[in-house]
Amino acid sequence: MGVSCTSSRNMYDPQKKYSPAVIKADYTLFRNILETTHPSIYWYTPKDSMDYYFEMVGKNLKDSMTEIQFRDQLAYMISKLDCGHTTMKGSKSFSRYVDTASSKAFPFALKFWSDTMVITANLRRNDPILQRGTIVLSINGYNARALTDTLFNYITTDGYSINGKYQSLSTGFAFANLYKNVIGLTDSLNIHFIDSVGNESQAWVKPYDFKADTLNKSSLNHGPPAKGKSPKKKKENPFFFYSSANLQLDTVMKTGFMTVATFDRSNHLRKFFKRSFKVIHKEHIKDLIIDVRSNGGGDAGLSTLLTKYIIDHKFKLADSLYTIKPPSQYKKYMEKSFLYGMLISLVTKKETDGKYHFRYFEKHYNSPKKKNHYDGQVFILIGGNSFSATTLFAGDLKGQKNVILVGEETGGGYYGNTAWIIPDVTLPNTGLRFRLPRFRMVINKDRIKNGRGITPDVWALPSSDAIRDGVDFKAMKVRELIVQQDALTNHDPENK
């Protein structure tokens, strides 16, 4: 009985409202920490503009708010920094609640680009009309431009890389969550779309109810194998490694396809790279495709290691890498502040500009690998989800004679970013958290500081037909380039 009462008291209530005084106290702290500690707060948005946004959001906090409502206000504010590593998180209690909560949801995942939105997944898998690849013209009267103009205010990216925001909105059910939180679900959704014969049509769709609707589990889980039959292990030919990184070789065409979905240090990538390039060298692979479209970054040491196997010259990690020490009164709100403070004291030195510089990386040059270095043709697939350490890798190789970047602009900045040590900061009254990157990095001071990501050498853009048919349009573009390249080589008199 006592346990039950305690559990009831500790249950998270998403409808609980915080008073304006409580919210404003957390907001003032939020603003002060960003203004004194974020090393790039005015990098892409001038101080007078940031002051304007801070004041504008502050004026919106005159009524009581739920955690979600307050979080959306802070997310809007953070988006104005144009720093992809600075993001909002719910309170720990909210995160635990979401893990177990059953609620209604926007039923589709959508792919966005330019003025277009296309269905990529439908929670009602047997829907006969609104299938994958369907072009949606409007949702409750909002067309694609109106939706992105609204929701981009709650998405962070490096600088002005709009493609990063398009891709964030298109990943998984990110749009569904934002639509629900920012615009709000109605009892019925008015969907205007292009039907299978090319005509404009309309459908009324109810939100997906996880309590009432039943997922087609048989399509998600085929169950154990039939009795008497042992499951056959899928044999990858000739080479395969971890789920986050794999290599497939076509030894006839002498082509390799390497996928690196993360640079997280827990994925055994050092071993993977070493064995991969050994096999690539042994099999005399002439064309290597490296797919980092979905790679959101990770350990810069691992992205540097991969770069060493391909780059043809010495290179630095960064021209400038520095942090700002936070005022002591704010450290108690920052995750692992003592540990991170000790680490920063050990590896940085205060310079004449008042910043604490990580001089080792500002001065140290990395050399290309000698053993199993790859000198053939490289195609790197990039897109809006290519971020952080991935842009270090792709950026350092951009322009190299034997490297072609294919795809779309990266979400990560080409000139630099703010990252490295990224603690959570917890606001004491509401428990809301935000990620605070501590180091500002200028990768190469000679690059143009225009706030853009890395642009591809060859663009490969999505289409509704490709999404409907499940076609990998970026990989197809690379195959076209290889065919064209082989045709040119075969007709070159010097190669006869």
Side-chain angles (χ1 to χ4, degrees):
M1 190 76 172
V3 173
S4 176
C5 290
T6 301
S7 299
S8 297
R9 286 195 300 269
N10 290 338
M11 285 183 64
Y12 179 82
D13 179 9
Q15 301 305 318
K16 175 185 175 181
K17 290 198 172 184
Y18 294 92
S19 70
V22 166
I23 289 172
K24 287 180 179 178
D26 271 3
Y27 184 67
T28 299
L29 178 65
F30 166 82
R31 177 175 180 174
N32 289 342
I33 291 175
L34 284 176
E35 289 180 326
T36 59
T37 309
H38 197 295
S40 303
I41 185 170
Y42 308 122
W43 205 2
Y44 293 107
T45 307
K47 186 179 186 305
D48 58 351
S49 297
M50 286 300 299
D51 289 344
Y52 168 79
Y53 290 122
F54 274 125
E55 293 300 324
M56 183 183 71
V57 171
K59 291 177 181 177
N60 292 338
L61 308 179
K62 57 183 181 295
D63 298 320
S64 297
M65 289 184 174
T66 65
E67 176 179 328
I68 292 176
Q69 290 171 332
F70 185 37
R71 185 190 68 199
D72 287 344
Q73 292 290 325
L74 299 187
Y76 175 89
M77 187 63 241
I78 276 180
S79 74
K80 303 308 176 187
L81 272 74
D82 294 318
C83 172
H85 288 90
T86 310
T87 55
M88 282 305 304
K89 302 171 71 173
S91 67
K92 290 182 179 180
S93 296
F94 176 80
S95 298
R96 289 191 292 267
Y97 165 78
V98 169
D99 286 342
T100 58
S102 295
S103 59
K104 293 182 179 180
F106 187 88
F108 312 124
L110 295 164
K111 169 71 175 177
F112 284 82
W113 69 93
S114 185
D115 294 327
T116 305
M117 51 183 168
V118 175
I119 293 175
T120 55
N122 187 337
L123 286 172
R124 296 187 180 90
R125 301 169 70 88
N126 296 322
D127 188 324
I129 300 174
L130 298 170
Q131 293 287 321
R132 178 185 175 93
T134 301
I135 298 174
V136 177
L137 301 175
S138 68
I139 301 167
N140 280 0
Y142 292 93
N143 61 19
R145 174 59 62 86
L147 287 168
T148 54
D149 283 351
T150 299
L151 299 180
F152 279 3
N153 287 312
Y154 302 87
I155 299 173
T156 62
T157 191
D158 282 350
Y160 315 129
S161 176
I162 292 298
N163 190 54
K165 294 197 174 190
Y166 277 121
Q167 195 59 52
S168 292
L169 208 57
S170 304
T171 300
F173 280 83
F175 168 76
N177 292 329
L178 267 177
Y179 185 94
K180 178 180 178 180
N181 291 339
V182 176
I183 297 174
L185 286 177
T186 51
D187 292 336
S188 190
L189 299 161
N190 183 8
I191 311 295
H192 282 253
F193 63 97
I194 302 296
D195 64 23
S196 58
V197 294
N199 296 323
E200 183 176 341
S201 190
Q202 179 184 19
W204 289 89
V205 178
K206 290 184 178 295
Y208 189 85
D209 190 334
F210 286 98
K211 291 181 179 178
D213 295 317
T214 303
L215 282 171
N216 183 1
K217 294 182 180 179
S218 62
S219 66
L220 300 175
N221 180 9
H222 297 288
K227 289 184 178 180
K229 293 183 179 180
S230 59
K232 291 183 179 180
K233 292 184 178 179
K234 185 178 179 181
K235 185 178 180 181
E236 296 288 346
N237 188 16
F239 189 75
F240 176 79
F241 248 96
Y242 312 100
S243 59
S244 60
N246 63 77
L247 174 68
Q248 299 171 8
L249 300 182
D250 183 334
T251 54
V252 176
M253 300 301 295
K254 297 299 180 183
T255 301
F257 196 107
M258 177 185 287
T259 300
V260 185
T262 180
F263 285 117
D264 190 281
R265 67 183 63 179
S266 66
N267 284 274
H268 311 287
L269 288 175
R270 292 185 181 278
K271 184 177 181 181
F272 170 74
F273 294 146
K274 182 178 180 180
R275 296 188 65 176
S276 292
F277 283 98
K278 181 179 180 181
V279 172
I280 288 169
H281 180 76
K282 179 182 177 182
E283 297 292 341
H284 304 289
I285 298 301
K286 66 181 182 66
D287 294 300
L288 177 61
I289 305 159
I290 302 178
D291 185 355
V292 291
R293 289 173 288 182
S294 62
N295 192 324
D299 188 341
L302 293 171
S303 67
T304 298
L305 177 59
L306 179 57
T307 306
K308 288 179 178 181
Y309 279 102
I310 301 165
I311 203 163
D312 61 9
H313 58 275
K314 291 184 177 182
F315 65 103
K316 284 196 299 183
L317 186 74
D319 279 334
S320 177
L321 183 63
Y322 69 77
T323 187
I324 300 170
K325 287 195 175 181
S328 59
Q329 67 266 33
Y330 300 140
K331 292 181 180 179
K332 62 184 177 181
Y333 305 112
M334 299 180 187
E335 176 189 27
K336 300 178 182 176
S337 61
F338 178 78
L339 177 63
Y340 290 146
M342 288 290 293
L343 179 61
I344 289 171
S345 295
L346 288 171
V347 301
T348 66
K349 181 181 178 182
K350 189 174 183 179
E351 300 293 339
T352 55
D353 60 3
K355 311 295 194 303
Y356 291 81
H357 285 256
F358 204 145
R359 281 301 188 197
Y360 173 78
F361 287 117
E362 292 178 341
K363 294 181 178 181
H364 177 72
Y365 279 86
N366 299 287
S367 298
K369 282 277 185 182
K370 292 182 179 179
K371 188 174 183 181
N372 295 324
H373 185 272
Y374 185 74
D375 300 309
Q377 180 65 55
V378 180
F379 301 91
I380 302 176
L381 300 181
I382 58 174
N385 281 334
S386 303
F387 191 70
S388 195
T390 306
T391 54
L392 300 180
F393 163 70
D396 283 331
L397 292 167
K398 182 176 175 61
Q400 185 167 304
K401 187 176 180 180
N402 66 324
V403 176
I404 299 175
L405 305 185
V406 180
E408 301 171 82
E409 182 181 356
T410 64
Y414 184 42
Y415 181 77
N417 61 49
T418 310
W420 286 70
I421 293 175
I422 313 177
D424 281 350
V425 178
T426 302
L427 302 177
N429 295 307
T430 59
L432 277 170
R433 296 169 293 167
F434 64 96
R435 299 176 76 231
L436 179 67
R438 297 297 312 280
F439 278 85
R440 171 168 166 170
M441 171 191 285
V442 173
I443 301 169
N444 185 334
K445 66 180 186 300
D446 294 327
R447 295 176 184 174
I448 298 173
K449 181 180 175 289
N450 60 1
R452 299 295 299 274
I454 302 168
T455 53
D457 302 308
V458 177
W459 290 82
L461 301 174
S463 70
S464 58
D465 290 342
I467 292 172
R468 182 194 63 226
D469 299 335
V471 173
D472 188 339
F473 54 91
K474 291 184 176 71
M476 280 191 64
K477 175 58 70 174
V478 170
R479 293 189 190 99
E480 291 175 14
L481 293 172
I482 291 175
V483 170
Q484 293 171 8
Q485 178 179 269
D486 288 348
L488 288 172
T489 301
N490 292 335
H491 287 84
D492 187 344
E494 294 183 5
N495 286 287
K496 290 182 179 181

